[in-house]
Structure formats: structure tokens, C-alpha cells
Amino acid sequence: MTRNSEMLQVLRRKIPAFTCEPGCHDCCGPVTASSEEMARLPIRTDAEHAAALAAWSCPHLGPDGCRVYAERPLICRLFGTTPGLPCPRGKCPEVMIDPRIERRIHRYLEQTRQVLV
Ligand code: SF4
Ligand code: SF4
């Protein structure tokens, strides 16, 4: 396991979970991820990427929501867990993310090459 991969697992575990409104995917859109995260996602065709971008959406969003939920990028996991990225539907975990962890996540994002998912 590479250092980036280990860091990714650690950070993922430290993001508090919460339950979204059923069927909601309002916060999904074009997002970026590190190559470590991209390697865990299924490949989408150029046409699928183009169609998603044209709709300001994500190529992994399906009719029933995120099709890669277990491997969704850090930025998707962070959404709703910090006052900086509030859920428009008012959903959030019981305890918001520890600001130190949030800073570590932002450092990880800055230090890894981010590409459009
Ligand atoms: S975080 Fe909020 S906006 Fe995003 S999917 Fe969940 S309920 Fe919807
Ligand atoms: S990876 Fe999943 S959660 Fe993240 S934007 Fe795409 S569909 Fe939404």
C-alpha cells in the first residue's frame, strides 16, 4: 500500500457519516479526485464524461443515486460534514468533522494531483 493510499483510508475513516434525504443527490456535480481515488472508480467513456459535464453532473450519478458510493471521493464524503460545505437540505452528522481532520483533508487534496472524476 502506498503512503497516499494509506492516508486516503485514514482520512476516509475519520469523516463522520450521516444519512442523506432518500433519493437526494443535490450536492452531486463535477468533482475532482486524486489518482489514488480515480484508480478505485470504474472507467467511464469519453462520451459519458462529456454528457455528465454538459449537464453539470457526475458520470457516476445514476437514476438511484451514486453508483460508486463505497468508493466516492473525499470531497463527496466531506460534503455536509463541515460548515464550509453545508448540505442545502440541512442534513449533517451528529458531530461535525474535527477541524484538524478537515485541514488534513485539504492538505491531501493540495498535495495530490486532482483530476475531474
Ligand atoms: S448531503 Fe444533502 S444535498 Fe447532498 S445528497 Fe445528502 S441530503 Fe442531498
Ligand atoms: S462520485 Fe458519487 S457522490 Fe460523488 S459527485 Fe459523483 S455521484 Fe455524487
Side-chain angles (χ1 to χ4, degrees), residues 44-68:
R44 297 280 180 241
T45 63
D46 288 350
E48 286 171 319
H49 277 110
L53 196 56
W56 205 245
S57 184
C58 169
H60 297 295
L61 183 60
D64 299 321
C66 180
R67 290 178 290 182
V68 294

PDB file of all heavy atoms in Angstrom, residues 44-68:
ATOM      1  N   ARG A  44     -15.250   5.413 -17.070  1.00  0.00           N
ATOM      2  CA  ARG A  44     -16.394   5.866 -17.864  1.00  0.00           C
ATOM      3  C   ARG A  44     -15.863   6.312 -19.223  1.00  0.00           C
ATOM      4  O   ARG A  44     -14.727   6.769 -19.334  1.00  0.00           O
ATOM      5  CB  ARG A  44     -17.109   7.031 -17.175  1.00  0.00           C
ATOM      6  CG  ARG A  44     -17.705   6.675 -15.824  1.00  0.00           C
ATOM      7  CD  ARG A  44     -19.041   5.959 -15.961  1.00  0.00           C
ATOM      8  NE  ARG A  44     -19.594   5.617 -14.658  1.00  0.00           N
ATOM      9  CZ  ARG A  44     -19.856   4.381 -14.236  1.00  0.00           C
ATOM     10  NH1 ARG A  44     -19.608   3.345 -15.020  1.00  0.00           N
ATOM     11  NH2 ARG A  44     -20.371   4.158 -13.047  1.00  0.00           N
ATOM     12  N   THR A  45     -16.693   6.214 -20.254  1.00  0.00           N
ATOM     13  CA  THR A  45     -16.247   6.571 -21.600  1.00  0.00           C
ATOM     14  C   THR A  45     -16.147   8.101 -21.727  1.00  0.00           C
ATOM     15  O   THR A  45     -16.728   8.837 -20.912  1.00  0.00           O
ATOM     16  CB  THR A  45     -17.257   6.076 -22.663  1.00  0.00           C
ATOM     17  OG1 THR A  45     -18.506   6.752 -22.429  1.00  0.00           O
ATOM     18  CG2 THR A  45     -17.460   4.574 -22.586  1.00  0.00           C
ATOM     19  N   ASP A  46     -15.453   8.544 -22.772  1.00  0.00           N
ATOM     20  CA  ASP A  46     -15.354   9.986 -23.027  1.00  0.00           C
ATOM     21  C   ASP A  46     -16.745  10.576 -23.221  1.00  0.00           C
ATOM     22  O   ASP A  46     -17.028  11.686 -22.758  1.00  0.00           O
ATOM     23  CB  ASP A  46     -14.509  10.248 -24.281  1.00  0.00           C
ATOM     24  CG  ASP A  46     -13.019   9.979 -24.029  1.00  0.00           C
ATOM     25  OD1 ASP A  46     -12.649   9.785 -22.852  1.00  0.00           O
ATOM     26  OD2 ASP A  46     -12.257   9.956 -25.011  1.00  0.00           O
ATOM     27  N   ALA A  47     -17.609   9.817 -23.906  1.00  0.00           N
ATOM     28  CA  ALA A  47     -18.970  10.317 -24.162  1.00  0.00           C
ATOM     29  C   ALA A  47     -19.727  10.478 -22.839  1.00  0.00           C
ATOM     30  O   ALA A  47     -20.459  11.457 -22.658  1.00  0.00           O
ATOM     31  CB  ALA A  47     -19.706   9.341 -25.084  1.00  0.00           C
ATOM     32  N   GLU A  48     -19.543   9.537 -21.923  1.00  0.00           N
ATOM     33  CA  GLU A  48     -20.226   9.636 -20.617  1.00  0.00           C
ATOM     34  C   GLU A  48     -19.709  10.839 -19.833  1.00  0.00           C
ATOM     35  O   GLU A  48     -20.475  11.563 -19.202  1.00  0.00           O
ATOM     36  CB  GLU A  48     -20.017   8.352 -19.803  1.00  0.00           C
ATOM     37  CG  GLU A  48     -20.834   7.179 -20.317  1.00  0.00           C
ATOM     38  CD  GLU A  48     -20.472   5.864 -19.653  1.00  0.00           C
ATOM     39  OE1 GLU A  48     -19.260   5.589 -19.431  1.00  0.00           O
ATOM     40  OE2 GLU A  48     -21.394   5.084 -19.353  1.00  0.00           O
ATOM     41  N   HIS A  49     -18.392  11.058 -19.897  1.00  0.00           N
ATOM     42  CA  HIS A  49     -17.819  12.219 -19.215  1.00  0.00           C
ATOM     43  C   HIS A  49     -18.357  13.521 -19.818  1.00  0.00           C
ATOM     44  O   HIS A  49     -18.727  14.436 -19.093  1.00  0.00           O
ATOM     45  CB  HIS A  49     -16.288  12.207 -19.316  1.00  0.00           C
ATOM     46  CG  HIS A  49     -15.653  11.339 -18.293  1.00  0.00           C
ATOM     47  ND1 HIS A  49     -15.033  10.153 -18.597  1.00  0.00           N
ATOM     48  CD2 HIS A  49     -15.575  11.463 -16.952  1.00  0.00           C
ATOM     49  CE1 HIS A  49     -14.591   9.592 -17.487  1.00  0.00           C
ATOM     50  NE2 HIS A  49     -14.898  10.367 -16.468  1.00  0.00           N
ATOM     51  N   ALA A  50     -18.381  13.571 -21.140  1.00  0.00           N
ATOM     52  CA  ALA A  50     -18.832  14.792 -21.828  1.00  0.00           C
ATOM     53  C   ALA A  50     -20.298  15.071 -21.491  1.00  0.00           C
ATOM     54  O   ALA A  50     -20.678  16.213 -21.218  1.00  0.00           O
ATOM     55  CB  ALA A  50     -18.634  14.648 -23.337  1.00  0.00           C
ATOM     56  N   ALA A  51     -21.122  14.022 -21.498  1.00  0.00           N
ATOM     57  CA  ALA A  51     -22.559  14.197 -21.224  1.00  0.00           C
ATOM     58  C   ALA A  51     -22.758  14.676 -19.782  1.00  0.00           C
ATOM     59  O   ALA A  51     -23.575  15.566 -19.525  1.00  0.00           O
ATOM     60  CB  ALA A  51     -23.297  12.882 -21.452  1.00  0.00           C
ATOM     61  N   ALA A  52     -21.980  14.100 -18.852  1.00  0.00           N
ATOM     62  CA  ALA A  52     -22.114  14.490 -17.443  1.00  0.00           C
ATOM     63  C   ALA A  52     -21.711  15.948 -17.266  1.00  0.00           C
ATOM     64  O   ALA A  52     -22.419  16.721 -16.606  1.00  0.00           O
ATOM     65  CB  ALA A  52     -21.252  13.577 -16.568  1.00  0.00           C
ATOM     66  N   LEU A  53     -20.603  16.322 -17.894  1.00  0.00           N
ATOM     67  CA  LEU A  53     -20.119  17.692 -17.740  1.00  0.00           C
ATOM     68  C   LEU A  53     -21.106  18.689 -18.356  1.00  0.00           C
ATOM     69  O   LEU A  53     -21.381  19.739 -17.772  1.00  0.00           O
ATOM     70  CB  LEU A  53     -18.733  17.827 -18.383  1.00  0.00           C
ATOM     71  CG  LEU A  53     -17.934  19.063 -18.001  1.00  0.00           C
ATOM     72  CD1 LEU A  53     -17.759  19.170 -16.487  1.00  0.00           C
ATOM     73  CD2 LEU A  53     -16.563  19.052 -18.697  1.00  0.00           C
ATOM     74  N   ALA A  54     -21.659  18.323 -19.504  1.00  0.00           N
ATOM     75  CA  ALA A  54     -22.629  19.210 -20.168  1.00  0.00           C
ATOM     76  C   ALA A  54     -23.844  19.432 -19.267  1.00  0.00           C
ATOM     77  O   ALA A  54     -24.461  20.495 -19.301  1.00  0.00           O
ATOM     78  CB  ALA A  54     -23.047  18.616 -21.509  1.00  0.00           C
ATOM     79  N   ALA A  55     -24.179  18.427 -18.473  1.00  0.00           N
ATOM     80  CA  ALA A  55     -25.336  18.541 -17.571  1.00  0.00           C
ATOM     81  C   ALA A  55     -24.898  19.031 -16.189  1.00  0.00           C
ATOM     82  O   ALA A  55     -25.696  19.018 -15.251  1.00  0.00           O
ATOM     83  CB  ALA A  55     -26.034  17.184 -17.463  1.00  0.00           C
ATOM     84  N   TRP A  56     -23.632  19.441 -16.066  1.00  0.00           N
ATOM     85  CA  TRP A  56     -23.050  19.856 -14.779  1.00  0.00           C
ATOM     86  C   TRP A  56     -23.299  18.776 -13.730  1.00  0.00           C
ATOM     87  O   TRP A  56     -23.693  19.027 -12.598  1.00  0.00           O
ATOM     88  CB  TRP A  56     -23.608  21.216 -14.336  1.00  0.00           C
ATOM     89  CG  TRP A  56     -22.690  21.957 -13.414  1.00  0.00           C
ATOM     90  CD1 TRP A  56     -22.930  22.287 -12.105  1.00  0.00           C
ATOM     91  CD2 TRP A  56     -21.370  22.441 -13.704  1.00  0.00           C
ATOM     92  NE1 TRP A  56     -21.829  22.928 -11.572  1.00  0.00           N
ATOM     93  CE2 TRP A  56     -20.860  23.047 -12.535  1.00  0.00           C
ATOM     94  CE3 TRP A  56     -20.546  22.399 -14.839  1.00  0.00           C
ATOM     95  CZ2 TRP A  56     -19.588  23.607 -12.470  1.00  0.00           C
ATOM     96  CZ3 TRP A  56     -19.280  22.964 -14.777  1.00  0.00           C
ATOM     97  CH2 TRP A  56     -18.826  23.564 -13.608  1.00  0.00           C
ATOM     98  N   SER A  57     -23.069  17.525 -14.151  1.00  0.00           N
ATOM     99  CA  SER A  57     -23.314  16.381 -13.270  1.00  0.00           C
ATOM    100  C   SER A  57     -22.045  15.545 -13.140  1.00  0.00           C
ATOM    101  O   SER A  57     -20.965  15.973 -13.548  1.00  0.00           O
ATOM    102  CB  SER A  57     -24.455  15.545 -13.855  1.00  0.00           C
ATOM    103  OG  SER A  57     -24.785  14.486 -12.997  1.00  0.00           O
ATOM    104  N   CYS A  58     -22.182  14.371 -12.568  1.00  0.00           N
ATOM    105  CA  CYS A  58     -21.046  13.463 -12.354  1.00  0.00           C
ATOM    106  C   CYS A  58     -21.316  12.182 -13.140  1.00  0.00           C
ATOM    107  O   CYS A  58     -22.446  11.681 -13.115  1.00  0.00           O
ATOM    108  CB  CYS A  58     -20.949  13.160 -10.854  1.00  0.00           C
ATOM    109  SG  CYS A  58     -19.799  11.825 -10.464  1.00  0.00           S
ATOM    110  N   PRO A  59     -20.303  11.634 -13.806  1.00  0.00           N
ATOM    111  CA  PRO A  59     -20.553  10.436 -14.622  1.00  0.00           C
ATOM    112  C   PRO A  59     -20.910   9.194 -13.798  1.00  0.00           C
ATOM    113  O   PRO A  59     -21.322   8.189 -14.357  1.00  0.00           O
ATOM    114  CB  PRO A  59     -19.226  10.235 -15.376  1.00  0.00           C
ATOM    115  CG  PRO A  59     -18.203  10.978 -14.588  1.00  0.00           C
ATOM    116  CD  PRO A  59     -18.915  12.107 -13.922  1.00  0.00           C
ATOM    117  N   HIS A  60     -20.765   9.302 -12.474  1.00  0.00           N
ATOM    118  CA  HIS A  60     -21.098   8.144 -11.620  1.00  0.00           C
ATOM    119  C   HIS A  60     -22.482   8.267 -10.989  1.00  0.00           C
ATOM    120  O   HIS A  60     -22.883   7.425 -10.193  1.00  0.00           O
ATOM    121  CB  HIS A  60     -20.033   7.971 -10.541  1.00  0.00           C
ATOM    122  CG  HIS A  60     -18.688   7.674 -11.111  1.00  0.00           C
ATOM    123  ND1 HIS A  60     -18.407   6.523 -11.803  1.00  0.00           N
ATOM    124  CD2 HIS A  60     -17.545   8.419 -11.142  1.00  0.00           C
ATOM    125  CE1 HIS A  60     -17.164   6.543 -12.219  1.00  0.00           C
ATOM    126  NE2 HIS A  60     -16.618   7.686 -11.833  1.00  0.00           N
ATOM    127  N   LEU A  61     -23.177   9.330 -11.339  1.00  0.00           N
ATOM    128  CA  LEU A  61     -24.524   9.502 -10.790  1.00  0.00           C
ATOM    129  C   LEU A  61     -25.518   8.740 -11.669  1.00  0.00           C
ATOM    130  O   LEU A  61     -25.578   8.946 -12.877  1.00  0.00           O
ATOM    131  CB  LEU A  61     -24.884  10.999 -10.746  1.00  0.00           C
ATOM    132  CG  LEU A  61     -26.222  11.362 -10.124  1.00  0.00           C
ATOM    133  CD1 LEU A  61     -26.306  10.910  -8.668  1.00  0.00           C
ATOM    134  CD2 LEU A  61     -26.462  12.868 -10.214  1.00  0.00           C
ATOM    135  N   GLY A  62     -26.265   7.848 -11.056  1.00  0.00           N
ATOM    136  CA  GLY A  62     -27.267   7.067 -11.788  1.00  0.00           C
ATOM    137  C   GLY A  62     -28.659   7.455 -11.334  1.00  0.00           C
ATOM    138  O   GLY A  62     -28.819   8.308 -10.457  1.00  0.00           O
ATOM    139  N   PRO A  63     -29.685   6.822 -11.898  1.00  0.00           N
ATOM    140  CA  PRO A  63     -31.065   7.164 -11.531  1.00  0.00           C
ATOM    141  C   PRO A  63     -31.357   6.938 -10.047  1.00  0.00           C
ATOM    142  O   PRO A  63     -32.230   7.586  -9.474  1.00  0.00           O
ATOM    143  CB  PRO A  63     -31.919   6.235 -12.402  1.00  0.00           C
ATOM    144  CG  PRO A  63     -30.990   5.358 -13.146  1.00  0.00           C
ATOM    145  CD  PRO A  63     -29.588   5.796 -12.932  1.00  0.00           C
ATOM    146  N   ASP A  64     -30.610   6.017  -9.427  1.00  0.00           N
ATOM    147  CA  ASP A  64     -30.846   5.754  -7.997  1.00  0.00           C
ATOM    148  C   ASP A  64     -29.769   6.370  -7.112  1.00  0.00           C
ATOM    149  O   ASP A  64     -29.571   5.933  -5.978  1.00  0.00           O
ATOM    150  CB  ASP A  64     -30.907   4.231  -7.749  1.00  0.00           C
ATOM    151  CG  ASP A  64     -32.049   3.599  -8.517  1.00  0.00           C
ATOM    152  OD1 ASP A  64     -33.122   4.225  -8.584  1.00  0.00           O
ATOM    153  OD2 ASP A  64     -31.860   2.499  -9.081  1.00  0.00           O
ATOM    154  N   GLY A  65     -29.051   7.333  -7.622  1.00  0.00           N
ATOM    155  CA  GLY A  65     -28.026   7.994  -6.811  1.00  0.00           C
ATOM    156  C   GLY A  65     -26.625   7.580  -7.228  1.00  0.00           C
ATOM    157  O   GLY A  65     -26.399   7.108  -8.348  1.00  0.00           O
ATOM    158  N   CYS A  66     -25.676   7.758  -6.305  1.00  0.00           N
ATOM    159  CA  CYS A  66     -24.271   7.477  -6.604  1.00  0.00           C
ATOM    160  C   CYS A  66     -24.063   5.977  -6.842  1.00  0.00           C
ATOM    161  O   CYS A  66     -24.416   5.162  -6.005  1.00  0.00           O
ATOM    162  CB  CYS A  66     -23.407   7.950  -5.430  1.00  0.00           C
ATOM    163  SG  CYS A  66     -21.652   7.649  -5.714  1.00  0.00           S
ATOM    164  N   ARG A  67     -23.461   5.653  -7.986  1.00  0.00           N
ATOM    165  CA  ARG A  67     -23.231   4.238  -8.316  1.00  0.00           C
ATOM    166  C   ARG A  67     -21.878   3.748  -7.797  1.00  0.00           C
ATOM    167  O   ARG A  67     -21.517   2.601  -8.006  1.00  0.00           O
ATOM    168  CB  ARG A  67     -23.290   4.051  -9.844  1.00  0.00           C
ATOM    169  CG  ARG A  67     -24.698   4.218 -10.395  1.00  0.00           C
ATOM    170  CD  ARG A  67     -24.723   4.084 -11.889  1.00  0.00           C
ATOM    171  NE  ARG A  67     -24.073   5.219 -12.553  1.00  0.00           N
ATOM    172  CZ  ARG A  67     -23.993   5.363 -13.860  1.00  0.00           C
ATOM    173  NH1 ARG A  67     -24.490   4.448 -14.661  1.00  0.00           N
ATOM    174  NH2 ARG A  67     -23.395   6.421 -14.382  1.00  0.00           N
ATOM    175  N   VAL A  68     -21.126   4.647  -7.161  1.00  0.00           N
ATOM    176  CA  VAL A  68     -19.804   4.256  -6.647  1.00  0.00           C
ATOM    177  C   VAL A  68     -19.694   4.654  -5.175  1.00  0.00           C
ATOM    178  O   VAL A  68     -18.618   5.002  -4.697  1.00  0.00           O
ATOM    179  CB  VAL A  68     -18.671   4.914  -7.481  1.00  0.00           C
ATOM    180  CG1 VAL A  68     -18.662   4.383  -8.902  1.00  0.00           C
ATOM    181  CG2 VAL A  68     -18.791   6.440  -7.486  1.00  0.00           C
TER     182      VAL A  68
END
